[in-house]
Amino acid sequence: TDGLTVRGLTVRYGGTTAVAGVDLDVQAGEVVALLGPSGSGKSSLLRAIAGLEPPPGGTVRWNGTDVTDLPVHRRGFGLLFQDGQLFPHRSVAGNVGYGLTGRPRDERASRVAELLGLVGLEGYERRAITSLSGGQAQRVALARSLAPAPRLLLLDEPLSALDRGLRERLTGDLCRILRATGTTALYVTHDHDEAFTVADRVAVLIDGRLVQVERPAQIWRAP
Ligand code: ADP
Ligand code: ADP
């Protein structure tokens, strides 16, 4: 029971069933990609696990403890979206250090510096968010989401807003960073290459149902 255990998770919007009774496990330290076409229910499933959707059917557990009814901020999960949603009026350090309030100032500063090094933005502390490129902004958003060392990182198409070349480079970097930090992660994408590069296992979602959960080498690849 180490890690994430999802059982019978269901999400409905009025008459539409977006997620239909999904069972999914993510072991501690594992990176699982949630792959599927647009509209297959990936975001709804991720948001329900995060606690962002209205109470769904089914249960979400972490290390055996039921977190289904906990609010978002009490689950200890980190979130990263396509648009990193940085605070534009704060510095890079102000963004990365955001989840570290309450810790001593020097500890916070060294943690911020460590994370910026990890994402390849050493020395960017005082830079303004508005001065960053799209790729740099997503690196800062990744650093911010990793700062409190979340027990599970939930990523929803984190690279989709970037152009192709940048996306390929960042996919490799993201993979290395998740491994280096031992981060347990669930990674939503519609991109096969991204899923196969990043993940230990790939979970394929079609019409709100999981149809396959396998290691990348075992997954049937769409033509
Ligand atoms: P994906 O992330 O795979 O693109 P989504 O989870 O966004 O899929 O959507 C799954 C289904 O739920 C789609 O049919 C979508 O139209 C529907 N849906 C998603 N969000 C809402 C919403 N807020 N209200 C109504 N229907 C929604
Ligand atoms: P902002 O100007 O964006 O509001 P602050 O200077 O108030 O940022 O600092 C916000 C957070 O960033 C704090 O946690 C602080 O410890 C950290 N921080 C600020 N400046 C630096 C720096 N030069 N290096 C590392 N961390 C910093």
Side-chain angles (χ1 to χ4, degrees):
T1 56
D2 259 15
L4 180 75
T5 311
V6 171
R7 289 294 175 266
L9 204 67
T10 297
V11 180
R12 291 194 192 89
Y13 302 103
T16 307
T17 300
V19 178
V22 162
D23 296 343
L24 177 67
D25 295 317
V26 181
Q27 312 290 324
E30 193 182 31
V31 178
V32 172
L34 194 55
L35 177 67
S38 177
S40 57
K42 304 183 298 296
S43 283
S44 300
L45 176 54
L46 196 85
R47 293 170 58 82
I49 292 168
L52 291 165
E53 292 293 342
T59 58
V60 178
R61 293 196 190 83
W62 180 262
N63 285 353
T65 302
D66 196 330
V67 301
T68 317
D69 296 323
L70 289 183
V72 182
H73 63 278
R74 299 268 319 275
R75 296 186 183 211
F77 300 163
L79 297 168
L80 181 61
F81 297 104
Q82 177 173 325
D83 163 13
Q85 299 175 330
L86 295 169
F87 308 118
H89 53 287
R90 313 193 83 190
S91 65
V92 165
N95 272 271
V96 176
Y98 174 74
L100 302 174
T101 45
R103 305 210 196 161
R105 194 177 176 79
D106 55 345
E107 184 190 316
R108 216 159 30 158
S110 68
R111 178 80 177 137
V112 167
E114 177 194 0
L115 283 153
L116 287 177
L118 190 69
V119 299
L121 294 177
E122 208 169 8
Y124 274 59
E125 278 89 344
R126 301 321 305 164
R127 289 280 294 270
I129 293 304
T130 47
S131 75
L132 303 177
S133 70
Q136 289 172 339
Q138 268 317 67
R139 289 174 188 272
V140 171
L142 175 63
R144 184 180 63 181
S145 67
L146 289 171
R151 49 196 191 177
L152 173 69
L153 183 61
L154 301 168
L155 309 102
D156 193 351
E157 305 270 7
L159 308 180
S160 293
L162 308 174
D163 66 49
R164 188 183 169 77
L166 192 55
R167 209 165 62 221
E168 279 168 14
R169 253 207 2 260
L170 267 175
T171 302
D173 285 355
L174 188 55
C175 183
R176 176 181 57 74
I177 290 164
L178 293 176
R179 293 306 183 290
T181 50
T183 301
T184 310
L186 186 58
Y187 186 105
V188 162
T189 180
H190 64 272
D191 185 304
H192 283 74
D193 293 338
E194 234 172 82
F196 283 68
T197 301
V198 162
D200 299 305
R201 287 188 302 144
V202 178
V204 181
L205 196 66
I206 309 272
D207 289 339
R209 294 175 194 280
L210 276 188
V211 296
Q212 277 198 90
V213 186
E214 298 282 359
R215 302 203 160 275
Q218 261 84 53
I219 286 275
W220 168 82
R221 295 186 82 141

